[in-house]
């Protein structure tokens, strides 16, 4: 006859095993669902103008220009942290502004290749500046940052004030938010794994 302690231990082990199976099934379902929906979305994009690709430091950079013939003002639209399809997400806004709009996808976003560089502020700003230089945009621009890009825009304005005419902020996140967020390696690793899942 088994002891009550052994039965409790067996019951606890069974519950943990069942929970582990549920988590694995959930992750597997999420992975399959993501793949199916990604392929479906790619079908939608077949007839959509995703913009152009140019080489910056041996990496492909995806950008799109709206209202190309409008030379009065040039707006550089900077995407937020979770905007992975900048041109598609902001197309309605871009089409309703009377200015040339340049949408540039950061490394690893939309059709821009990932550079495997750390996304430090100075690197991202330099990345944007190289794209504008390659597109022969030499006049002052208006920055239109969204979310996390507010940090990039403020740094850009502070470091290269002669390049910027003004800034129009779209719900930007204050830099203090990122300074106060946890910076330990475990947290960053957890966030990385979560984003990949």
């Amino acid at each position: 006859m088994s002891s009550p302690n052994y039965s409790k231990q067996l019951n606890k082990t069974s519950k943990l095993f069942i929970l582990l199976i549920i988590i694995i099934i959930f992750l597997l379902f999420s992975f399959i669902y993501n793949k199916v929906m990604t392929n479906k979305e790619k079908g939608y994009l077949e007839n959509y103008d995703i913009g152009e690709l140019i080489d910056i430091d041996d990496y492909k950079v995806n950008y799109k220009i709206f209202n190309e013939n409008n030379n009065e003002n040039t707006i550089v639209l900077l995407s937020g942290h979770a905007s992975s399809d900048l041109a598609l997400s902001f197309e309605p806004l871009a089409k309703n502004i009377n200015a040339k709009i340049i949408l540039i996808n950061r490394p690893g976003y939309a059709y821009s290749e990932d550079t495997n560089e750390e996304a430090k502020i100075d690197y991202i700003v330099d990345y944007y500046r190289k794209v504008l230089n390659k597109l022969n945009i030499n006049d002052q621009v208006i920055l239109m940052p969204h979310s996390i890009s507010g940090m990039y825009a403020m740094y850009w304005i502070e470091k290269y004030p002669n390049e910027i005419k003004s800034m129009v902020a779209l719900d930007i996140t204050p830099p203090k938010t990122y300074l106060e967020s946890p910076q330990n390696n475990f947290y960053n690793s957890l966030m990385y794994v979560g984003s990949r899942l």
Side-chain angles (χ1 to χ4, degrees):
M1 189 172 184
S2 60
S3 69
N5 286 341
Y6 178 74
S7 295
K8 284 181 183 177
Q9 184 65 30
L10 188 60
N11 193 20
K12 189 176 180 182
T13 303
S14 298
K15 287 179 181 177
L16 286 173
F17 182 72
I18 290 169
L19 180 63
L20 182 63
I21 293 295
I22 290 171
I23 290 171
I24 290 171
I25 290 171
F26 173 76
L27 291 175
L28 186 61
F29 172 79
S30 297
F31 177 78
I32 292 169
Y33 179 78
N34 184 14
K35 289 294 180 189
V36 169
M37 294 309 290
T38 298
N39 287 332
K40 191 174 180 181
E41 288 172 8
K42 282 180 182 175
Y44 294 143
L45 290 173
E46 283 178 2
N47 297 321
Y48 178 74
D49 177 15
I50 58 142
E52 305 292 330
L53 293 172
I54 55 172
D55 287 321
I56 301 291
D57 298 333
D58 298 324
Y59 292 101
K60 300 286 183 202
V61 176
N62 174 225
Y63 71 95
K64 185 169 180 174
I65 300 178
F66 291 94
N67 312 322
E68 191 165 2
N69 295 325
N70 190 325
N71 293 316
E72 192 172 330
N73 287 303
T74 300
I75 296 174
V76 181
L77 185 52
L78 311 175
S79 68
H81 189 59
S83 302
S84 60
D85 58 350
L86 179 58
L88 189 59
S89 295
F90 288 98
E91 180 178 15
L93 174 66
K95 283 188 170 179
N96 285 291
I97 295 176
N98 186 23
K100 180 188 291 184
I101 313 282
I102 302 175
L103 306 105
I104 304 169
N105 282 305
R106 292 198 312 270
Y109 279 61
Y111 294 92
S112 289
E113 289 182 336
D114 196 346
T115 63
N116 294 317
E117 294 283 339
E118 192 175 345
K120 291 184 176 179
I121 296 175
D122 55 346
Y123 172 75
I124 297 297
V125 169
D126 192 46
Y127 178 91
Y128 285 133
R129 293 175 72 240
K130 285 179 181 178
V131 173
L132 293 180
N133 185 51
K134 189 112 182 199
L135 295 175
N136 295 316
I137 306 294
N138 302 313
D139 296 331
Q140 287 185 320
V141 297
I142 299 168
L143 296 181
M144 188 180 284
H146 172 241
S147 187
I148 191 175
S149 288
M151 271 196 319
Y152 307 139
M154 286 186 269
Y155 179 84
W156 196 342
I157 291 167
E158 185 178 321
K159 191 161 184 186
Y160 307 102
N162 295 334
E163 297 177 4
I164 311 302
K165 185 184 281 188
S166 62
M167 178 176 87
V168 178
L170 301 176
D171 192 25
I172 62 172
T173 308
K176 187 177 179 186
T177 303
Y178 297 98
L179 293 173
E180 292 174 348
S181 64
Q183 297 297 318
N184 62 62
N185 289 334
F186 175 75
Y187 175 81
N188 291 337
S189 300
L190 191 64
M191 292 300 288
Y192 176 81
V193 170
S195 69
R196 292 301 179 225
L197 289 175

